[in-house]
Amino acid sequence: MLFRSQSQRANRLVFEAVHPDCIKKIYGAGWRPMMFAYGSIGLLVAGLIWLLCRDQPRDHPSCNGEEVALINRDPRMSANVSGGVTRVPLKRLLRSRSMWCSCVSQFCTNVGWLFVMTWAPRFFQEVHRVPVETRALMVAIPPLAGMVGMFLGGPLTDFLIGPCGPRWGRALPMSLTRFPAMGAYLVCLMHPSAWTVAVMFAMVSFFTGL
């Protein structure tokens, strides 16, 4: 065990010496504790879903009889909780212009978002020569901004449905938010500083999440 520990430490020191500009003092417990932490969180979330989620409102322990009756009186809700399974209207979906526009929008959005999530570390390394410690911080900021945007997107849509109606209340956030995201990418083409690029990537994640 001692020899193995010393060998691992020697390998890390050699790796740092070969790549001094990219790697500095990697002294971690390895990937196993990280996998254990991720797996434990996943089990916790799965347990919460198993305890809290039900197929029918009447099966939920926190839903009383009055609430079940109120839901059943609403024809829009009773149709969804009746338990009947209907066939998916594939022909109507394939002929739906809104469905195709939504698919194209989501595809193009995820192509742009994918760069931030996968290629940003390499971009900061090759273009801006950012040290690994700073690069890790820059790469972590955009997902956090995207998470904030996702939490704000629902309330924004609910707010817009009032004055704009359900059609435009949903369409406007989905369409208009893409323009500042595109603008942020265009700023990155002007060769700004590394931190400016990180802010632009955060804007891309925020507005696509919104």
Side-chain angles (χ1 to χ4, degrees), residues 98-113:
S98 296
M99 191 277 293
W100 283 107
C101 289
S102 178
C103 289
V104 171
S105 173
Q106 294 296 336
F107 176 82
C108 295
T109 297
N110 282 286
V111 168
W113 182 81

Side-chain angles (χ1 to χ4, degrees), residues 142-206:
L144 296 176
M147 181 179 66
V148 174
M150 291 181 66
F151 279 112
L152 295 178
L156 175 63
T157 302
D158 293 341
F159 171 78
L160 291 176
I161 284 177
C164 302
R167 167 72 172 85
W168 290 104
R170 291 176 172 86
L172 289 177
M174 189 174 181
S175 57
L176 296 182
T177 52
R178 298 327 187 240
F179 289 97
M182 289 186 289
Y185 267 136
L186 293 176
V187 172
C188 296
L189 297 178
M190 301 176 184
H191 305 287
S193 65
W195 275 109
T196 302
V197 172
V199 173
M200 293 300 103
F201 285 173
M203 288 183 59
V204 171
S205 296
F206 174 81

Side-chain angles (χ1 to χ4, degrees), residues 88-162:
V88 177
L90 289 178
K91 292 183 179 180
R92 288 183 57 193
L93 287 174
L94 293 176
R95 291 196 299 263
S96 172
R97 184 177 61 180
S98 296
M99 191 277 293
W100 283 107
C101 289
S102 178
C103 289
V104 171
S105 173
Q106 294 296 336
F107 176 82
C108 295
T109 297
N110 282 286
V111 168
W113 182 81
L114 188 65
F115 178 86
V116 177
M117 295 297 107
T118 58
W119 284 82
R122 185 173 179 179
F123 174 82
F124 284 123
Q125 176 186 354
E126 295 182 355
V127 177
H128 294 278
R129 304 295 180 184
V130 178
V132 63
E133 301 97 332
T134 308
R135 189 164 70 243
L137 177 61
M138 290 179 172
V139 174
I141 292 175
L144 296 176
M147 181 179 66
V148 174
M150 291 181 66
F151 279 112
L152 295 178
L156 175 63
T157 302
D158 293 341
F159 171 78
L160 291 176
I161 284 177

Side-chain angles (χ1 to χ4, degrees), residues 21-115:
D21 296 331
C22 301
I23 306 297
K24 294 181 180 179
K25 294 183 179 179
I26 299 179
Y27 299 111
W31 56 269
R32 289 180 177 84
M34 181 62 67
M35 294 295 103
F36 178 79
Y38 280 8
S40 300
I41 294 173
L43 291 175
L44 176 63
V45 173
L48 290 174
I49 292 175
W50 183 77
L51 289 173
L52 300 177
C53 295
R54 296 293 185 271
D55 293 333
Q56 305 291 339
R58 61 176 177 271
D59 298 330
H60 200 285
S62 299
C63 191
N64 57 43
E66 293 181 356
E67 291 174 324
V68 172
L70 179 62
I71 293 172
N72 291 334
R73 284 199 300 268
D74 190 332
R76 297 172 300 176
M77 296 300 297
S78 60
N80 294 329
V81 301
S82 60
V85 179
T86 59
R87 296 178 61 182
V88 177
L90 289 178
K91 292 183 179 180
R92 288 183 57 193
L93 287 174
L94 293 176
R95 291 196 299 263
S96 172
R97 184 177 61 180
S98 296
M99 191 277 293
W100 283 107
C101 289
S102 178
C103 289
V104 171
S105 173
Q106 294 296 336
F107 176 82
C108 295
T109 297
N110 282 286
V111 168
W113 182 81
L114 188 65
F115 178 86

